[in-house]
Amino acid sequence: MQVKGPTDQELEALMEAYQQGQLEAFEKLYSCLAGEVGGYLRNLVRDHHRAEDLLQETFLQIHRARHTYLPGKPVRPWVYAIARNVFLMSERARRRRQAHEQLADEALPELPVASEVTAWEGQKDLRHLLSGLPEKTREVLMLHHVAGLSFKEVGEVLGLSEGAAKVRAHRAMEQLRRVVRGEGG
């Protein structure tokens, strides 16, 4: 399930051109990476509109931080690290807002819990299974199996060693296998 698209070398060349002031290189970077980074963010937040906002903020931060990119280094891990930081900053802000919202329990309506009546197929099944994983393990799988980053690069994005990233991915895959076999998660 590896991402098809520009090679690492092509992305590096675009990033270096952008650092040198070629604005069209940024547009090309955006068109090359927006789909995969947007998918990563959608899987983190599970809200299309919020993910779109985070995607725009990610590319704004890429623009602001372009001078921190080191030529010759892979672009994807650098971009995913920025996207992850944008997500984490957004989560902190969201939690602060929620802490300030003091809603009385009696003011909250009772919401029915939707039962899963129909089975999803293909991508929907996979998204559903992934959504049942803890965020930390889901993120490793998304970065490695969907975004195509190596475990070393995943570790760099998440602040883990390569081995720790492999262990998280292995545990997540085992958990998915148990769920698929009907053994619970």
Side-chain angles (χ1 to χ4, degrees):
M1 199 149 99
Q2 182 127 358
V3 173
K4 303 285 187 229
T7 65
D8 289 340
Q9 293 79 16
E10 291 168 333
L11 291 174
E12 290 168 23
L14 285 172
M15 191 62 208
E16 289 174 28
Y18 178 51
Q19 283 182 314
Q20 295 168 4
Q22 296 177 22
L23 294 180
E24 64 275 358
F26 180 77
E27 293 171 10
K28 289 178 183 174
L29 275 171
Y30 182 87
S31 67
C32 289
L33 295 173
E36 67 184 79
V37 173
Y40 167 71
L41 292 167
R42 278 188 298 279
N43 277 293
L44 287 178
V45 300
R46 299 185 205 130
D47 177 331
H48 178 75
H49 297 293
R50 186 166 166 230
E52 282 299 313
D53 290 344
L54 293 176
L55 179 65
Q56 298 309 312
E57 181 64 25
T58 296
F59 277 90
L60 178 61
Q61 293 303 323
I62 288 169
H63 171 73
R64 289 179 178 157
R66 67 189 176 279
H67 66 281
T68 66
Y69 170 74
L70 300 174
K73 295 284 188 179
V75 174
R76 277 188 176 94
W78 182 77
V79 168
Y80 278 99
I82 290 172
R84 183 172 191 267
N85 286 332
V86 165
F87 163 71
L88 292 173
M89 288 187 312
S90 168
E91 281 297 294
R92 283 191 291 273
R94 188 175 64 81
R95 286 186 191 119
R96 281 193 302 271
R97 279 191 306 274
Q98 285 177 345
H100 294 304
E101 294 173 359
Q102 306 265 333
L103 295 175
D105 285 342
E106 60 272 2
L108 296 174
E110 293 237 0
L111 298 175
V113 177
S115 63
E116 296 199 7
V117 178
T118 58
W120 296 342
E121 296 179 20
Q123 291 289 331
K124 288 182 182 178
D125 281 336
L126 179 59
R127 282 192 202 113
H128 177 70
L129 289 171
L130 287 173
S131 71
L133 292 175
E135 181 180 311
K136 289 180 180 182
T137 53
R138 181 176 68 244
E139 194 171 17
V140 169
L141 289 181
M142 293 303 303
L143 289 170
H144 181 67
H145 293 290
V146 178
L149 299 183
S150 70
F151 282 116
K152 182 177 189 243
E153 292 169 331
V154 170
E156 290 171 9
V157 170
L158 300 178
L160 302 170
S161 69
E162 180 179 357
K166 287 180 181 179
V167 168
R168 276 195 193 172
H170 175 75
R171 289 179 180 159
M173 292 302 287
E174 285 301 312
Q175 189 173 359
L176 283 176
R177 284 184 190 103
R178 285 192 304 273
V179 170
V180 169
R181 289 190 303 246
E183 297 172 11

